[in-house]
Amino acid sequence: MQMEKKDIRALTKEELRNFFVANNDKAFRGNQVYEWLWQKNAHTFEDMTNISKETRAMLEANFVINHIKVDTMQRSSDGTVKNAVRLHDDLVVESVLIPTETRTTACVSSQVGCSLDCNFCATARLKRMRNLNPDEIYDQVAAINAESRLYYNRPLSNIVFMGMGEPLMNYPNVMKAIEKITSPEGLGMSPKRITVSTSGISKMIKKMADDEVKFKLAVSLHSAIEEIRNEIMPFTKNFPLTDLREALEYWYKKTKSKVTYEYVVWKGINDDKKSIDALVKFCKYVPCKVNLIEYNPIDDGMFQQASSQAIDAYIKALEQHDIVVKVRRSRGKDIDAACGQLANKEA
Ligand code: SAH
């Protein structure tokens, strides 16, 4: 049986150097190939013109280069660009470029589908097929960076892991991708411009704190009342709010980095005073800010955006307690590129 060839971009520079030494070549050859793969963006071994024919053939026999392919690109009337990203095994994920006056943000996917079951999210309806590899995450960012330069004459300024999947369920690969994105050999972006959004996997939040990560943390809270959260995000029955609180306190103690809570207000679900009071109370545990996200309906019926009075009541209560709150308007709605809508219709 033929061994499946390894994705060469899953190797670190050190591993590549070791590979060449083990194959009676110089470690330096590893640096050259690494440069081709990451700085020069080579898609085939043939492209590596300063590498001998024999060495290229040897690489070909051992490895593959799995680049993503951006299949369809849709542009919204508000300038948002959605990419359908085809992976080497023909699966598809989506990523989005969101421009504003001052920044361009890449919203990237971390998994094909999602293993969680948030009732209001389109991706949750897809089966989780697999985790994305570090290079598949990196490539989404690199592709959006190129689009940002092309359409808006400026490089990407921010990245949010708010596309498909739960990043903390694919933690090692997300970490490797972020290492590459922030390293001078990759895109050289500041980790402070990267936000990892989680539905609240407490154990992994603690792990991130132990790893002293430098990027930002956002938590999809949506309710600070256990029973309501269990209802709208059933998996949270195994991830109680008390654990989440404890993990966030640990996170803040270690990183001194404020947490952002993402929060959608729905009619008849969390648009009452009890919910507001619970959120205000939860916000006292660690320094934080709240993003009130506009709901993007997913043809469901169960969920409806709350009235503007209800949103105002949230804003008023939070501000009264000196908690920073922002209302996040939805972007890219006309091309299904908005938050929680990523579910690749053609796949
Ligand atoms: N799994 C991660 C990241 C992906 S979801 C997480 O849960 O944070 C990114 C954000 O979109 C989350 O805050 C999620 O709750 C929100 N979201 C999902 N579906 C949505 C919808 N239909 N309308 C508005 N926001 C939604």
mmCIF file with all atom_site columns, all heavy atoms in Angstrom, residues 114 116 120-122 161-163 165-167 197-199 220 222 262 264 293-298 339-340, ligand 1:
data_model
loop_
_atom_site.group_PDB
_atom_site.id
_atom_site.type_symbol
_atom_site.label_atom_id
_atom_site.label_alt_id
_atom_site.label_comp_id
_atom_site.label_asym_id
_atom_site.label_entity_id
_atom_site.label_seq_id
_atom_site.pdbx_PDB_ins_code
_atom_site.Cartn_x
_atom_site.Cartn_y
_atom_site.Cartn_z
_atom_site.occupancy
_atom_site.B_iso_or_equiv
_atom_site.pdbx_formal_charge
_atom_site.auth_seq_id
_atom_site.auth_comp_id
_atom_site.auth_asym_id
_atom_site.auth_atom_id
_atom_site.pdbx_PDB_model_num
ATOM   1   N N   . CYS A 1 114 ? -19.164 22.348 12.241 1.00 0.00 ? 114 CYS A N   1
ATOM   2   C CA  . CYS A 1 114 ? -18.937 22.648 13.658 1.00 0.00 ? 114 CYS A CA  1
ATOM   3   C C   . CYS A 1 114 ? -19.504 21.530 14.507 1.00 0.00 ? 114 CYS A C   1
ATOM   4   O O   . CYS A 1 114 ? -20.541 20.960 14.181 1.00 0.00 ? 114 CYS A O   1
ATOM   5   C CB  . CYS A 1 114 ? -19.602 23.981 14.027 1.00 0.00 ? 114 CYS A CB  1
ATOM   6   S SG  . CYS A 1 114 ? -19.152 24.573 15.682 1.00 0.00 ? 114 CYS A SG  1
ATOM   7   N N   . LEU A 1 116 ? -20.440 21.958 17.610 1.00 0.00 ? 116 LEU A N   1
ATOM   8   C CA  . LEU A 1 116 ? -21.358 22.509 18.604 1.00 0.00 ? 116 LEU A CA  1
ATOM   9   C C   . LEU A 1 116 ? -22.755 22.662 18.003 1.00 0.00 ? 116 LEU A C   1
ATOM   10  O O   . LEU A 1 116 ? -22.947 22.452 16.809 1.00 0.00 ? 116 LEU A O   1
ATOM   11  C CB  . LEU A 1 116 ? -20.824 23.851 19.116 1.00 0.00 ? 116 LEU A CB  1
ATOM   12  C CG  . LEU A 1 116 ? -19.414 23.762 19.705 1.00 0.00 ? 116 LEU A CG  1
ATOM   13  C CD1 . LEU A 1 116 ? -18.949 25.119 20.196 1.00 0.00 ? 116 LEU A CD1 1
ATOM   14  C CD2 . LEU A 1 116 ? -19.347 22.734 20.818 1.00 0.00 ? 116 LEU A CD2 1
ATOM   15  N N   . PHE A 1 120 ? -29.117 28.992 16.940 1.00 0.00 ? 120 PHE A N   1
ATOM   16  C CA  . PHE A 1 120 ? -29.310 30.173 16.089 1.00 0.00 ? 120 PHE A CA  1
ATOM   17  C C   . PHE A 1 120 ? -28.275 30.271 14.985 1.00 0.00 ? 120 PHE A C   1
ATOM   18  O O   . PHE A 1 120 ? -28.245 31.242 14.232 1.00 0.00 ? 120 PHE A O   1
ATOM   19  C CB  . PHE A 1 120 ? -29.223 31.431 16.967 1.00 0.00 ? 120 PHE A CB  1
ATOM   20  C CG  . PHE A 1 120 ? -28.032 31.408 17.890 1.00 0.00 ? 120 PHE A CG  1
ATOM   21  C CD1 . PHE A 1 120 ? -26.783 31.799 17.425 1.00 0.00 ? 120 PHE A CD1 1
ATOM   22  C CD2 . PHE A 1 120 ? -28.144 30.948 19.201 1.00 0.00 ? 120 PHE A CD2 1
ATOM   23  C CE1 . PHE A 1 120 ? -25.669 31.740 18.244 1.00 0.00 ? 120 PHE A CE1 1
ATOM   24  C CE2 . PHE A 1 120 ? -27.029 30.886 20.039 1.00 0.00 ? 120 PHE A CE2 1
ATOM   25  C CZ  . PHE A 1 120 ? -25.795 31.290 19.548 1.00 0.00 ? 120 PHE A CZ  1
ATOM   26  N N   . CYS A 1 121 ? -27.375 29.282 14.879 1.00 0.00 ? 121 CYS A N   1
ATOM   27  C CA  . CYS A 1 121 ? -26.228 29.401 13.972 1.00 0.00 ? 121 CYS A CA  1
ATOM   28  C C   . CYS A 1 121 ? -26.346 28.454 12.786 1.00 0.00 ? 121 CYS A C   1
ATOM   29  O O   . CYS A 1 121 ? -26.634 27.262 12.955 1.00 0.00 ? 121 CYS A O   1
ATOM   30  C CB  . CYS A 1 121 ? -24.947 29.111 14.744 1.00 0.00 ? 121 CYS A CB  1
ATOM   31  S SG  . CYS A 1 121 ? -23.470 29.151 13.719 1.00 0.00 ? 121 CYS A SG  1
ATOM   32  N N   . ALA A 1 122 ? -26.113 28.994 11.588 1.00 0.00 ? 122 ALA A N   1
ATOM   33  C CA  . ALA A 1 122 ? -26.239 28.179 10.370 1.00 0.00 ? 122 ALA A CA  1
ATOM   34  C C   . ALA A 1 122 ? -25.155 27.102 10.297 1.00 0.00 ? 122 ALA A C   1
ATOM   35  O O   . ALA A 1 122 ? -25.414 25.972 9.867  1.00 0.00 ? 122 ALA A O   1
ATOM   36  C CB  . ALA A 1 122 ? -26.176 29.083 9.141  1.00 0.00 ? 122 ALA A CB  1
ATOM   37  N N   . PHE A 1 161 ? -11.465 35.086 14.530 1.00 0.00 ? 161 PHE A N   1
ATOM   38  C CA  . PHE A 1 161 ? -11.814 33.674 14.318 1.00 0.00 ? 161 PHE A CA  1
ATOM   39  C C   . PHE A 1 161 ? -13.306 33.518 14.617 1.00 0.00 ? 161 PHE A C   1
ATOM   40  O O   . PHE A 1 161 ? -13.690 32.972 15.645 1.00 0.00 ? 161 PHE A O   1
ATOM   41  C CB  . PHE A 1 161 ? -10.951 32.759 15.195 1.00 0.00 ? 161 PHE A CB  1
ATOM   42  C CG  . PHE A 1 161 ? -9.582  32.548 14.636 1.00 0.00 ? 161 PHE A CG  1
ATOM   43  C CD1 . PHE A 1 161 ? -8.599  33.501 14.807 1.00 0.00 ? 161 PHE A CD1 1
ATOM   44  C CD2 . PHE A 1 161 ? -9.272  31.399 13.910 1.00 0.00 ? 161 PHE A CD2 1
ATOM   45  C CE1 . PHE A 1 161 ? -7.328  33.310 14.272 1.00 0.00 ? 161 PHE A CE1 1
ATOM   46  C CE2 . PHE A 1 161 ? -8.011  31.204 13.370 1.00 0.00 ? 161 PHE A CE2 1
ATOM   47  C CZ  . PHE A 1 161 ? -7.042  32.164 13.553 1.00 0.00 ? 161 PHE A CZ  1
ATOM   48  N N   . MET A 1 162 ? -14.114 34.063 13.721 1.00 0.00 ? 162 MET A N   1
ATOM   49  C CA  . MET A 1 162 ? -15.566 34.029 13.898 1.00 0.00 ? 162 MET A CA  1
ATOM   50  C C   . MET A 1 162 ? -16.247 33.441 12.673 1.00 0.00 ? 162 MET A C   1
ATOM   51  O O   . MET A 1 162 ? -17.419 33.684 12.415 1.00 0.00 ? 162 MET A O   1
ATOM   52  C CB  . MET A 1 162 ? -16.102 35.440 14.163 1.00 0.00 ? 162 MET A CB  1
ATOM   53  C CG  . MET A 1 162 ? -15.624 36.030 15.466 1.00 0.00 ? 162 MET A CG  1
ATOM   54  S SD  . MET A 1 162 ? -16.367 37.630 15.775 1.00 0.00 ? 162 MET A SD  1
ATOM   55  C CE  . MET A 1 162 ? -15.418 38.184 17.181 1.00 0.00 ? 162 MET A CE  1
ATOM   56  N N   . GLY A 1 163 ? -15.486 32.707 11.880 1.00 0.00 ? 163 GLY A N   1
ATOM   57  C CA  . GLY A 1 163 ? -16.079 32.027 10.731 1.00 0.00 ? 163 GLY A CA  1
ATOM   58  C C   . GLY A 1 163 ? -16.664 30.693 11.174 1.00 0.00 ? 163 GLY A C   1
ATOM   59  O O   . GLY A 1 163 ? -17.231 30.592 12.263 1.00 0.00 ? 163 GLY A O   1
ATOM   60  N N   . GLY A 1 165 ? -16.901 26.997 12.663 1.00 0.00 ? 165 GLY A N   1
ATOM   61  C CA  . GLY A 1 165 ? -16.178 26.156 13.611 1.00 0.00 ? 165 GLY A CA  1
ATOM   62  C C   . GLY A 1 165 ? -15.896 26.802 14.947 1.00 0.00 ? 165 GLY A C   1
ATOM   63  O O   . GLY A 1 165 ? -16.102 27.994 15.146 1.00 0.00 ? 165 GLY A O   1
ATOM   64  N N   . GLU A 1 166 ? -15.450 25.963 15.864 1.00 0.00 ? 166 GLU A N   1
ATOM   65  C CA  . GLU A 1 166 ? -15.097 26.420 17.211 1.00 0.00 ? 166 GLU A CA  1
ATOM   66  C C   . GLU A 1 166 ? -13.564 26.355 17.329 1.00 0.00 ? 166 GLU A C   1
ATOM   67  O O   . GLU A 1 166 ? -12.992 25.266 17.428 1.00 0.00 ? 166 GLU A O   1
ATOM   68  C CB  . GLU A 1 166 ? -15.778 25.516 18.246 1.00 0.00 ? 166 GLU A CB  1
ATOM   69  C CG  . GLU A 1 166 ? -15.296 25.672 19.666 1.00 0.00 ? 166 GLU A CG  1
ATOM   70  C CD  . GLU A 1 166 ? -15.300 27.107 20.190 1.00 0.00 ? 166 GLU A CD  1
ATOM   71  O OE1 . GLU A 1 166 ? -16.309 27.807 20.059 1.00 0.00 ? 166 GLU A OE1 1
ATOM   72  O OE2 . GLU A 1 166 ? -14.248 27.521 20.724 1.00 0.00 ? 166 GLU A OE2 1
ATOM   73  N N   . PRO A 1 167 ? -12.910 27.526 17.313 1.00 0.00 ? 167 PRO A N   1
ATOM   74  C CA  . PRO A 1 167 ? -11.436 27.524 17.287 1.00 0.00 ? 167 PRO A CA  1
ATOM   75  C C   . PRO A 1 167 ? -10.792 26.759 18.448 1.00 0.00 ? 167 PRO A C   1
ATOM   76  O O   . PRO A 1 167 ? -9.753  26.140 18.269 1.00 0.00 ? 167 PRO A O   1
ATOM   77  C CB  . PRO A 1 167 ? -11.059 29.003 17.326 1.00 0.00 ? 167 PRO A CB  1
ATOM   78  C CG  . PRO A 1 167 ? -12.312 29.771 17.480 1.00 0.00 ? 167 PRO A CG  1
ATOM   79  C CD  . PRO A 1 167 ? -13.464 28.880 17.226 1.00 0.00 ? 167 PRO A CD  1
ATOM   80  N N   . SER A 1 197 ? -12.582 33.836 18.947 1.00 0.00 ? 197 SER A N   1
ATOM   81  C CA  . SER A 1 197 ? -13.921 33.839 19.520 1.00 0.00 ? 197 SER A CA  1
ATOM   82  C C   . SER A 1 197 ? -14.330 32.419 19.878 1.00 0.00 ? 197 SER A C   1
ATOM   83  O O   . SER A 1 197 ? -14.275 31.524 19.041 1.00 0.00 ? 197 SER A O   1
ATOM   84  C CB  . SER A 1 197 ? -14.907 34.423 18.490 1.00 0.00 ? 197 SER A CB  1
ATOM   85  O OG  . SER A 1 197 ? -16.224 34.305 18.963 1.00 0.00 ? 197 SER A OG  1
ATOM   86  N N   . THR A 1 198 ? -14.732 32.225 21.121 1.00 0.00 ? 198 THR A N   1
ATOM   87  C CA  . THR A 1 198 ? -15.155 30.885 21.542 1.00 0.00 ? 198 THR A CA  1
ATOM   88  C C   . THR A 1 198 ? -16.549 30.930 22.140 1.00 0.00 ? 198 THR A C   1
ATOM   89  O O   . THR A 1 198 ? -16.962 31.931 22.717 1.00 0.00 ? 198 THR A O   1
ATOM   90  C CB  . THR A 1 198 ? -14.185 30.289 22.589 1.00 0.00 ? 198 THR A CB  1
ATOM   91  O OG1 . THR A 1 198 ? -14.710 29.026 23.024 1.00 0.00 ? 198 THR A OG1 1
ATOM   92  C CG2 . THR A 1 198 ? -14.023 31.193 23.795 1.00 0.00 ? 198 THR A CG2 1
ATOM   93  N N   . SER A 1 199 ? -17.233 29.803 22.008 1.00 0.00 ? 199 SER A N   1
ATOM   94  C CA  . SER A 1 199 ? -18.545 29.696 22.627 1.00 0.00 ? 199 SER A CA  1
ATOM   95  C C   . SER A 1 199 ? -18.394 29.460 24.126 1.00 0.00 ? 199 SER A C   1
ATOM   96  O O   . SER A 1 199 ? -19.382 29.361 24.829 1.00 0.00 ? 199 SER A O   1
ATOM   97  C CB  . SER A 1 199 ? -19.295 28.558 21.978 1.00 0.00 ? 199 SER A CB  1
ATOM   98  O OG  . SER A 1 199 ? -18.489 27.413 22.075 1.00 0.00 ? 199 SER A OG  1
ATOM   99  N N   . SER A 1 220 ? -18.764 34.061 23.227 1.00 0.00 ? 220 SER A N   1
ATOM   100 C CA  . SER A 1 220 ? -20.155 34.173 22.785 1.00 0.00 ? 220 SER A CA  1
ATOM   101 C C   . SER A 1 220 ? -21.048 33.815 23.956 1.00 0.00 ? 220 SER A C   1
ATOM   102 O O   . SER A 1 220 ? -21.313 32.645 24.215 1.00 0.00 ? 220 SER A O   1
ATOM   103 C CB  . SER A 1 220 ? -20.407 33.230 21.610 1.00 0.00 ? 220 SER A CB  1
ATOM   104 O OG  . SER A 1 220 ? -19.493 33.530 20.595 1.00 0.00 ? 220 SER A OG  1
ATOM   105 N N   . HIS A 1 222 ? -24.304 35.411 25.052 1.00 0.00 ? 222 HIS A N   1
ATOM   106 C CA  . HIS A 1 222 ? -25.716 35.411 24.640 1.00 0.00 ? 222 HIS A CA  1
ATOM   107 C C   . HIS A 1 222 ? -26.729 35.326 25.779 1.00 0.00 ? 222 HIS A C   1
ATOM   108 O O   . HIS A 1 222 ? -27.859 35.754 25.634 1.00 0.00 ? 222 HIS A O   1
ATOM   109 C CB  . HIS A 1 222 ? -26.012 34.324 23.602 1.00 0.00 ? 222 HIS A CB  1
ATOM   110 C CG  . HIS A 1 222 ? -25.195 34.466 22.364 1.00 0.00 ? 222 HIS A CG  1
ATOM   111 N ND1 . HIS A 1 222 ? -25.072 35.656 21.696 1.00 0.00 ? 222 HIS A ND1 1
ATOM   112 C CD2 . HIS A 1 222 ? -24.438 33.577 21.678 1.00 0.00 ? 222 HIS A CD2 1
ATOM   113 C CE1 . HIS A 1 222 ? -24.277 35.490 20.644 1.00 0.00 ? 222 HIS A CE1 1
ATOM   114 N NE2 . HIS A 1 222 ? -23.867 34.254 20.617 1.00 0.00 ? 222 HIS A NE2 1
ATOM   115 N N   . GLU A 1 262 ? -19.763 38.532 23.282 1.00 0.00 ? 262 GLU A N   1
ATOM   116 C CA  . GLU A 1 262 ? -20.677 38.699 22.154 1.00 0.00 ? 262 GLU A CA  1
ATOM   117 C C   . GLU A 1 262 ? -22.067 38.303 22.627 1.00 0.00 ? 262 GLU A C   1
ATOM   118 O O   . GLU A 1 262 ? -22.235 37.296 23.332 1.00 0.00 ? 262 GLU A O   1
ATOM   119 C CB  . GLU A 1 262 ? -20.240 37.818 20.989 1.00 0.00 ? 262 GLU A CB  1
ATOM   120 C CG  . GLU A 1 262 ? -18.919 38.256 20.401 1.00 0.00 ? 262 GLU A CG  1
ATOM   121 C CD  . GLU A 1 262 ? -18.186 37.106 19.785 1.00 0.00 ? 262 GLU A CD  1
ATOM   122 O OE1 . GLU A 1 262 ? -17.536 36.360 20.519 1.00 0.00 ? 262 GLU A OE1 1
ATOM   123 O OE2 . GLU A 1 262 ? -18.292 36.936 18.567 1.00 0.00 ? 262 GLU A OE2 1
ATOM   124 N N   . VAL A 1 264 ? -26.282 38.436 21.438 1.00 0.00 ? 264 VAL A N   1
ATOM   125 C CA  . VAL A 1 264 ? -27.417 38.783 20.573 1.00 0.00 ? 264 VAL A CA  1
ATOM   126 C C   . VAL A 1 264 ? -28.652 38.881 21.468 1.00 0.00 ? 264 VAL A C   1
ATOM   127 O O   . VAL A 1 264 ? -28.845 38.025 22.343 1.00 0.00 ? 264 VAL A O   1
ATOM   128 C CB  . VAL A 1 264 ? -27.657 37.713 19.482 1.00 0.00 ? 264 VAL A CB  1
ATOM   129 C CG1 . VAL A 1 264 ? -28.846 38.091 18.599 1.00 0.00 ? 264 VAL A CG1 1
ATOM   130 C CG2 . VAL A 1 264 ? -26.410 37.513 18.616 1.00 0.00 ? 264 VAL A CG2 1
ATOM   131 N N   . ILE A 1 293 ? -24.579 42.073 19.129 1.00 0.00 ? 293 ILE A N   1
ATOM   132 C CA  . ILE A 1 293 ? -24.547 41.726 17.707 1.00 0.00 ? 293 ILE A CA  1
ATOM   133 C C   . ILE A 1 293 ? -25.972 41.662 17.161 1.00 0.00 ? 293 ILE A C   1
ATOM   134 O O   . ILE A 1 293 ? -26.864 41.107 17.815 1.00 0.00 ? 293 ILE A O   1
ATOM   135 C CB  . ILE A 1 293 ? -23.887 40.338 17.486 1.00 0.00 ? 293 ILE A CB  1
ATOM   136 C CG1 . ILE A 1 293 ? -22.533 40.260 18.197 1.00 0.00 ? 293 ILE A CG1 1
ATOM   137 C CG2 . ILE A 1 293 ? -23.733 40.032 16.017 1.00 0.00 ? 293 ILE A CG2 1
ATOM   138 C CD1 . ILE A 1 293 ? -21.914 38.877 18.133 1.00 0.00 ? 293 ILE A CD1 1
ATOM   139 N N   . GLU A 1 294 ? -26.134 42.212 15.996 1.00 0.00 ? 294 GLU A N   1
ATOM   140 C CA  . GLU A 1 294 ? -27.440 42.119 15.335 1.00 0.00 ? 294 GLU A CA  1
ATOM   141 C C   . GLU A 1 294 ? -27.673 40.668 14.903 1.00 0.00 ? 294 GLU A C   1
ATOM   142 O O   . GLU A 1 294 ? -26.761 40.014 14.405 1.00 0.00 ? 294 GLU A O   1
ATOM   143 C CB  . GLU A 1 294 ? -27.407 43.026 14.102 1.00 0.00 ? 294 GLU A CB  1
ATOM   144 C CG  . GLU A 1 294 ? -28.740 43.238 13.459 1.00 0.00 ? 294 GLU A CG  1
ATOM   145 C CD  . GLU A 1 294 ? -28.608 44.112 12.206 1.00 0.00 ? 294 GLU A CD  1
ATOM   146 O OE1 . GLU A 1 294 ? -27.538 44.685 11.970 1.00 0.00 ? 294 GLU A OE1 1
ATOM   147 O OE2 . GLU A 1 294 ? -29.594 44.183 11.464 1.00 0.00 ? 294 GLU A OE2 1
ATOM   148 N N   . TYR A 1 295 ? -28.886 40.180 15.091 1.00 0.00 ? 295 TYR A N   1
ATOM   149 C CA  . TYR A 1 295 ? -29.178 38.795 14.713 1.00 0.00 ? 295 TYR A CA  1
ATOM   150 C C   . TYR A 1 295 ? -29.336 38.663 13.195 1.00 0.00 ? 295 TYR A C   1
ATOM   151 O O   . TYR A 1 295 ? -29.994 39.486 12.565 1.00 0.00 ? 295 TYR A O   1
ATOM   152 C CB  . TYR A 1 295 ? -30.460 38.318 15.413 1.00 0.00 ? 295 TYR A CB  1
ATOM   153 C CG  . TYR A 1 295 ? -30.855 36.916 15.015 1.00 0.00 ? 295 TYR A CG  1
ATOM   154 C CD1 . TYR A 1 295 ? -29.947 35.868 15.131 1.00 0.00 ? 295 TYR A CD1 1
ATOM   155 C CD2 . TYR A 1 295 ? -32.122 36.635 14.500 1.00 0.00 ? 295 TYR A CD2 1
ATOM   156 C CE1 . TYR A 1 295 ? -30.284 34.587 14.749 1.00 0.00 ? 295 TYR A CE1 1
ATOM   157 C CE2 . TYR A 1 295 ? -32.470 35.353 14.127 1.00 0.00 ? 295 TYR A CE2 1
ATOM   158 C CZ  . TYR A 1 295 ? -31.540 34.329 14.254 1.00 0.00 ? 295 TYR A CZ  1
ATOM   159 O OH  . TYR A 1 295 ? -31.878 33.064 13.860 1.00 0.00 ? 295 TYR A OH  1
ATOM   160 N N   . ASN A 1 296 ? -28.722 37.628 12.654 1.00 0.00 ? 296 ASN A N   1
ATOM   161 C CA  . ASN A 1 296 ? -28.924 37.314 11.237 1.00 0.00 ? 296 ASN A CA  1
ATOM   162 C C   . ASN A 1 296 ? -29.828 36.112 11.124 1.00 0.00 ? 296 ASN A C   1
ATOM   163 O O   . ASN A 1 296 ? -29.400 34.989 11.403 1.00 0.00 ? 296 ASN A O   1
ATOM   164 C CB  . ASN A 1 296 ? -27.582 37.005 10.575 1.00 0.00 ? 296 ASN A CB  1
ATOM   165 C CG  . ASN A 1 296 ? -26.702 38.221 10.575 1.00 0.00 ? 296 ASN A CG  1
ATOM   166 O OD1 . ASN A 1 296 ? -27.051 39.238 10.010 1.00 0.00 ? 296 ASN A OD1 1
ATOM   167 N ND2 . ASN A 1 296 ? -25.581 38.121 11.258 1.00 0.00 ? 296 ASN A ND2 1
ATOM   168 N N   . PRO A 1 297 ? -31.063 36.318 10.714 1.00 0.00 ? 297 PRO A N   1
ATOM   169 C CA  . PRO A 1 297 ? -32.031 35.219 10.706 1.00 0.00 ? 297 PRO A CA  1
ATOM   170 C C   . PRO A 1 297 ? -31.561 34.088 9.789  1.00 0.00 ? 297 PRO A C   1
ATOM   171 O O   . PRO A 1 297 ? -31.001 34.341 8.724  1.00 0.00 ? 297 PRO A O   1
ATOM   172 C CB  . PRO A 1 297 ? -33.301 35.868 10.146 1.00 0.00 ? 297 PRO A CB  1
ATOM   173 C CG  . PRO A 1 297 ? -33.091 37.333 10.264 1.00 0.00 ? 297 PRO A CG  1
ATOM   174 C CD  . PRO A 1 297 ? -31.617 37.566 10.191 1.00 0.00 ? 297 PRO A CD  1
ATOM   175 N N   . ILE A 1 298 ? -31.761 32.858 10.224 1.00 0.00 ? 298 ILE A N   1
ATOM   176 C CA  . ILE A 1 298 ? -31.339 31.715 9.400  1.00 0.00 ? 298 ILE A CA  1
ATOM   177 C C   . ILE A 1 298 ? -32.536 30.824 9.036  1.00 0.00 ? 298 ILE A C   1
ATOM   178 O O   . ILE A 1 298 ? -32.461 29.610 9.091  1.00 0.00 ? 298 ILE A O   1
ATOM   179 C CB  . ILE A 1 298 ? -30.237 30.887 10.089 1.00 0.00 ? 298 ILE A CB  1
ATOM   180 C CG1 . ILE A 1 298 ? -30.685 30.439 11.495 1.00 0.00 ? 298 ILE A CG1 1
ATOM   181 C CG2 . ILE A 1 298 ? -28.945 31.671 10.206 1.00 0.00 ? 298 ILE A CG2 1
ATOM   182 C CD1 . ILE A 1 298 ? -29.870 29.281 12.044 1.00 0.00 ? 298 ILE A CD1 1
ATOM   183 N N   . CYS A 1 339 ? -22.317 37.249 10.254 1.00 0.00 ? 339 CYS A N   1
ATOM   184 C CA  . CYS A 1 339 ? -22.059 36.408 11.409 1.00 0.00 ? 339 CYS A CA  1
ATOM   185 C C   . CYS A 1 339 ? -23.034 35.243 11.514 1.00 0.00 ? 339 CYS A C   1
ATOM   186 O O   . CYS A 1 339 ? -24.241 35.449 11.496 1.00 0.00 ? 339 CYS A O   1
ATOM   187 C CB  . CYS A 1 339 ? -22.245 37.263 12.664 1.00 0.00 ? 339 CYS A CB  1
ATOM   188 S SG  . CYS A 1 339 ? -20.860 37.235 13.742 1.00 0.00 ? 339 CYS A SG  1
ATOM   189 N N   . GLY A 1 340 ? -22.528 34.052 11.620 1.00 0.00 ? 340 GLY A N   1
ATOM   190 C CA  . GLY A 1 340 ? -23.391 32.901 11.848 1.00 0.00 ? 340 GLY A CA  1
ATOM   191 C C   . GLY A 1 340 ? -24.111 32.399 10.622 1.00 0.00 ? 340 GLY A C   1
ATOM   192 O O   . GLY A 1 340 ? -24.867 31.446 10.671 1.00 0.00 ? 340 GLY A O   1
HETATM 193 N N1  . SAH B 2 .   ? -17.608 29.047 17.588 1.00 0.00 ? 1   SAH B N1  1
HETATM 194 C C1  . SAH B 2 .   ? -17.110 30.361 17.854 1.00 0.00 ? 1   SAH B C1  1
HETATM 195 C C2  . SAH B 2 .   ? -16.811 31.185 16.611 1.00 0.00 ? 1   SAH B C2  1
HETATM 196 C C3  . SAH B 2 .   ? -17.764 31.116 15.443 1.00 0.00 ? 1   SAH B C3  1
HETATM 197 S S1  . SAH B 2 .   ? -19.351 31.912 15.599 1.00 0.00 ? 1   SAH B S1  1
HETATM 198 C C4  . SAH B 2 .   ? -18.052 31.091 18.787 1.00 0.00 ? 1   SAH B C4  1
HETATM 199 O O1  . SAH B 2 .   ? -19.110 30.555 19.102 1.00 0.00 ? 1   SAH B O1  1
HETATM 200 O O2  . SAH B 2 .   ? -17.724 32.187 19.228 1.00 0.00 ? 1   SAH B O2  1
HETATM 201 C C5  . SAH B 2 .   ? -19.001 33.641 15.596 1.00 0.00 ? 1   SAH B C5  1
HETATM 202 C C6  . SAH B 2 .   ? -20.041 34.482 16.311 1.00 0.00 ? 1   SAH B C6  1
HETATM 203 O O3  . SAH B 2 .   ? -21.267 34.540 15.555 1.00 0.00 ? 1   SAH B O3  1
HETATM 204 C C7  . SAH B 2 .   ? -20.437 33.962 17.688 1.00 0.00 ? 1   SAH B C7  1
HETATM 205 O O4  . SAH B 2 .   ? -20.511 35.015 18.609 1.00 0.00 ? 1   SAH B O4  1
HETATM 206 C C8  . SAH B 2 .   ? -21.821 33.392 17.416 1.00 0.00 ? 1   SAH B C8  1
HETATM 207 O O5  . SAH B 2 .   ? -22.581 33.277 18.596 1.00 0.00 ? 1   SAH B O5  1
HETATM 208 C C9  . SAH B 2 .   ? -22.366 34.376 16.420 1.00 0.00 ? 1   SAH B C9  1
HETATM 209 N N2  . SAH B 2 .   ? -23.522 33.917 15.658 1.00 0.00 ? 1   SAH B N2  1
HETATM 210 C C10 . SAH B 2 .   ? -23.803 32.665 15.251 1.00 0.00 ? 1   SAH B C10 1
HETATM 211 N N3  . SAH B 2 .   ? -24.957 32.642 14.552 1.00 0.00 ? 1   SAH B N3  1
HETATM 212 C C11 . SAH B 2 .   ? -25.403 33.912 14.497 1.00 0.00 ? 1   SAH B C11 1
HETATM 213 C C12 . SAH B 2 .   ? -26.537 34.537 13.896 1.00 0.00 ? 1   SAH B C12 1
HETATM 214 N N4  . SAH B 2 .   ? -27.409 33.838 13.191 1.00 0.00 ? 1   SAH B N4  1
HETATM 215 N N5  . SAH B 2 .   ? -26.679 35.881 14.048 1.00 0.00 ? 1   SAH B N5  1
HETATM 216 C C13 . SAH B 2 .   ? -25.773 36.601 14.742 1.00 0.00 ? 1   SAH B C13 1
HETATM 217 N N6  . SAH B 2 .   ? -24.677 36.067 15.310 1.00 0.00 ? 1   SAH B N6  1
HETATM 218 C C14 . SAH B 2 .   ? -24.498 34.741 15.209 1.00 0.00 ? 1   SAH B C14 1
#
